[in-house]
Amino acid sequence: MQERILIVEDEEKLARFIELELNFEGYVVEKAADGRTGLSMAQSKEYDLIALDVMLPGLNGFEVLRRIRQTSSVPVILLTARDDTMDKVAGLDGGANDYITKPFAIEELLARIRAVLRNSGAAKESVKAAEHTITAGDLKLNLDSREVWVGTTPVDLTKKEFDLLAYLVQNKGLVMSRDRLLDSVWGYDFVGETNAIDVYIRYLRAKIEEPFGLKIIQTIRGVGYIIREQ
């Protein structure tokens, strides 16, 4: 998917020049020529990055940035004609990801845009990874990469061991009967020994409990198993 960039710049020739260069690089570009229009667009549409001039009619760039940051973490690069340290500090403290001083070479702006987008993408991936991680005490599972850790120590599990553990952790605090585990992890058409759950629970305990002195998986006699955080 092409990345979308909003240019908020009142110098028409400069805005058009930046737009053409960004289009050539494969970005989708929209423009605003004043602060209020730029703010409205930033608040009503989704962008991957905003290039924001500081000296704008209507609302200046610092105020636009301040209002954007009340609701959005979209990356912002400030474009400023004032090579003043306090302005740069104010912009960065106000939530800008970077700034560039006019006049600038287009190659420098493109490089800064690539760097900010790259860092933003890495941050998004980190958030995504966190969203797909489940925990129970010191135990942590990443559902996407299918990795397991106890504390900071990785633990190697087979596919079925991981599936069983993930299901238990996703339902931690709830008693899971053997029948329910068989249906949910092995499938309704499972054909095999009915003690498969008990066998795999022993495998899990040998890998994630005994080496670390943990007691996470508890047996509910005559019913099944439950994950309880220590």
Side-chain angles (χ1 to χ4, degrees):
M1 182 182 294
Q2 290 178 295
E3 290 164 307
R4 297 169 56 85
I5 295 178
L6 173 63
I7 302 169
V8 188
E9 169 60 66
D10 64 323
E11 295 181 45
E12 184 178 348
K13 290 183 178 179
L14 176 59
R16 178 59 176 161
F17 174 63
I18 296 173
E19 178 185 23
L20 291 173
E21 291 292 331
L22 290 176
N23 285 157
F24 183 76
E25 294 293 322
Y27 300 107
V28 176
V29 179
E30 294 185 13
K31 302 192 307 260
D34 63 82
R36 293 191 184 280
T37 302
L39 177 62
S40 176
M41 293 174 69
Q43 291 176 330
S44 61
K45 299 182 180 181
E46 293 289 332
Y47 296 100
D48 295 289
L49 182 140
I50 297 174
L52 176 63
D53 186 27
V54 170
M55 301 298 291
L56 289 168
L59 291 176
N60 68 48
F62 292 132
E63 180 61 19
V64 173
L65 175 62
R66 185 187 71 80
R67 298 191 189 187
I68 288 174
R69 282 292 174 259
Q70 290 177 347
T71 58
S72 173
S73 59
V74 60
V76 174
I77 296 179
L78 289 180
L79 313 178
T80 173
R82 299 188 295 189
D83 188 15
D84 184 272
T85 300
M86 292 307 297
D87 282 345
K88 296 173 183 177
V89 170
L92 294 173
D93 284 348
N97 298 77
D98 201 355
Y99 65 85
I100 187 168
T101 304
K102 300 176 184 178
F104 50 79
I106 191 63
E107 292 81 8
E108 181 182 2
L109 177 60
L110 292 173
R112 288 175 182 264
I113 287 173
R114 287 193 297 269
V116 169
L117 287 173
R118 188 165 55 246
N119 290 337
S120 174
K124 288 178 181 177
E125 287 301 313
S126 177
V127 170
K128 179 182 177 182
E131 289 175 347
H132 289 80
T133 297
I134 56 177
T135 62
D138 291 333
L139 180 66
K140 182 168 66 174
L141 293 79
N142 186 293
L143 300 178
D144 287 333
S145 64
R146 300 180 69 84
E147 294 175 290
V148 180
W149 300 267
V150 176
T152 58
T153 303
V155 179
D156 185 33
L157 298 183
T158 67
K159 179 182 183 303
K160 195 57 69 177
E161 288 168 352
F162 181 91
D163 291 343
L164 175 58
L165 182 61
Y167 189 78
L168 286 167
V169 174
Q170 287 173 313
N171 292 279
K172 64 185 177 183
L174 301 174
V175 177
M176 295 289 108
S177 70
R178 290 174 176 81
D179 287 342
R180 182 170 178 180
L181 291 171
L182 278 174
D183 288 343
S184 300
V185 179
W186 271 260
Y188 291 96
D189 57 351
F190 171 73
V191 177
E193 296 295 328
T194 56
N195 68 341
I197 297 296
D198 302 314
V199 171
Y200 273 84
I201 290 292
R202 287 200 297 272
Y203 294 160
L204 288 174
R205 284 174 169 159
K207 290 183 176 183
I208 67 171
E209 289 191 337
E210 293 168 11
F212 304 98
L214 299 179
K215 291 289 185 182
I216 294 176
I217 306 172
Q218 297 184 12
T219 303
I220 304 301
R221 191 175 300 277
V223 181
Y225 299 94
I226 184 174
I227 292 278
R228 285 204 177 106
E229 297 181 278
Q230 291 185 312

